[in-house]
Amino acid sequence: YNLTVGDSHRRVAVCFSGQVRSFPTIVVNIRDTIIRPLQRLVDTTTRSGRDNASNVHLFGAFAPVDNLEGNGWHCKWPHEHSLEQLSHLFGVLEAPVYGGPTVAGDGELFATAGAWCWANSVLGFIQANYRRAVWAQVLRAEKAHAFRYSFAISLRPDVFYLASFQLQTWGVFAGQGTRDAWAPCKKCAVTKERGGVPVYRRAQDVFWAARRDSADVLFNTVQEFVDHGCKDKAFDNMGPGPWMHACPMYNNSRDKYECMYILRLQRYQIGYTVYVPRAPPIENPWKIERAPCFKPGGHIG
């Protein structure tokens, strides 16, 4: 799976999932910092993905309504996101679309499994469900086109990436860590947190990159939520149990969502690697972009 620039025998599935939020304002940033670097890795020409020549393929499963971080934030977009709007945004990314974009409400995706979590709008669980939905698109595309992706990217549509993100340098594309899934650091400027958890163990779940054989596991992390509380109790109200302390990065309750992904990988003997920018100043190479979202009362994100 080692990649060199212009390797046309590799394909990447780029999977957007979750709430649309600020996607319309940062779509160009995502194109320039995520899509184009991947195209430079796997495409043999510099042609735009608009002519379907690119080996970087887009997929998307989105929520119809925004609820920013669950804290009363609202975004200045239509109450119901339309397929027309999302298709336009996918066009800006300049890569061929092989699945979606689709819009489905939470209940449509998981009305049977994890009743407590979806009924109580547990956002980590909701995100995991949309990841499972977008992965179903990838599986259908592989079957329809009789090929298999080499890599899969999972990303939220509301995250802005700094130049230090440097996705094209991540070891997942160069054979480092045979089956490891890669994620950016969660608090890159903090060497250690309380409890001594070092930065290189602290993953952030807004973005994952994985080889194809690890992606099947990663994109089905929703099962970890179901196994650890979503069947009959509110996950957000659960205290940490022994299962949570099996997560190498666990420091406090705010880590439990990332730990769901790590525990899922561990169940199948798959490791994870955290990308930390090397050039000072060491800072988070990503940020959840709230603008132009707002809270009632006039506070602008």
Side-chain angles (χ1 to χ4, degrees):
Y1 277 157
N2 288 4
L3 277 181
T4 57
V5 173
D7 187 343
S8 63
H9 302 292
R10 302 288 180 252
R11 296 181 179 90
V12 183
V14 178
C15 304
F16 291 85
S17 58
Q19 299 179 27
V20 176
R21 298 178 177 171
S22 54
F23 190 30
T25 65
I26 62 174
V27 62
V28 171
N29 167 264
I30 294 174
R31 181 195 66 195
D32 293 346
T33 57
I34 304 299
I35 304 301
R36 286 183 174 172
L38 289 172
Q39 289 173 330
R40 286 192 288 270
L41 282 175
V42 300
D43 291 344
T44 56
T45 72
T46 58
R47 288 182 297 172
S48 164
R50 291 177 180 174
D51 59 3
N52 289 327
S54 177
N55 288 323
V56 177
H57 299 166
L58 303 179
F59 299 84
F62 297 93
V65 180
D66 292 322
N67 179 18
L68 192 70
E69 299 303 328
N71 294 320
W73 290 82
H74 301 282
C75 295
K76 296 179 180 178
W77 311 120
H79 183 66
E80 296 285 339
H81 293 290
S82 68
L83 291 178
E84 181 180 6
Q85 175 202 27
L86 292 168
S87 295
H88 169 73
L89 294 172
F90 265 34
V92 176
L93 293 171
E94 297 183 359
V97 180
Y98 273 64
T102 59
V103 176
D106 300 342
E108 295 175 69
L109 289 181
F110 41 87
T112 55
W116 267 101
C117 280
W118 75 259
N120 290 279
S121 297
V122 177
L123 291 177
F125 178 72
I126 290 172
Q127 178 61 247
N129 270 281
Y130 280 101
R131 278 180 165 139
R132 179 173 61 176
V134 77
W135 190 242
Q137 296 177 8
V138 174
L139 298 180
R140 287 193 294 269
E142 288 184 328
K143 183 177 181 180
H145 298 282
F147 59 60
R148 183 176 170 88
Y149 286 97
S150 304
F151 305 94
I153 305 293
S154 175
L155 70 166
R156 284 170 40 167
D158 64 339
V159 176
F160 182 94
Y161 301 94
L162 306 184
S164 57
F165 200 75
Q166 294 291 305
L167 180 61
Q168 68 275 14
T169 69
W170 288 25
V172 65
F173 304 114
Q176 301 174 20
T178 306
R179 299 183 69 200
D180 279 12
W182 282 59
C185 45
K186 186 172 186 178
K187 292 185 178 180
C188 306
V190 179
T191 304
K192 289 185 179 181
E193 288 198 320
R194 185 182 61 211
V197 180
V199 64
Y200 63 84
R201 306 305 296 272
R202 305 269 295 143
Q204 169 55 256
D205 67 350
V206 298
F207 188 101
W208 286 97
R211 296 171 182 274
R212 175 61 182 79
D213 57 349
S214 300
D216 277 317
V217 172
L218 184 70
F219 279 84
N220 283 288
T221 294
V222 66
Q223 188 61 45
E224 295 302 311
F225 285 87
V226 173
D227 290 349
H228 293 108
C230 284
K231 288 181 179 178
D232 56 7
K233 62 184 71 174
F235 182 83
D236 274 0
N237 296 330
M238 292 176 61
W243 57 273
M244 186 64 73
H245 290 292
C247 173
M249 70 164 279
Y250 184 80
N251 182 67
N252 57 52
S253 61
R254 294 183 62 85
D255 296 330
K256 59 189 174 186
Y257 296 117
E258 286 84 6
C259 279
M260 287 291 97
Y261 291 90
I262 292 169
L263 292 173
R264 179 69 177 173
L265 294 168
Q266 287 181 341
R267 180 182 292 200
Y268 291 88
Q269 291 78 54
I270 300 172
Y272 75 100
T273 297
V274 175
Y275 169 74
V276 181
R278 295 181 179 179
I282 302 300
E283 60 182 358
N284 285 15
W286 57 271
K287 62 177 179 176
I288 296 175
E289 182 56 72
R290 288 184 166 86
C293 300
F294 67 98
K295 280 188 174 182
H299 184 77
I300 304 297

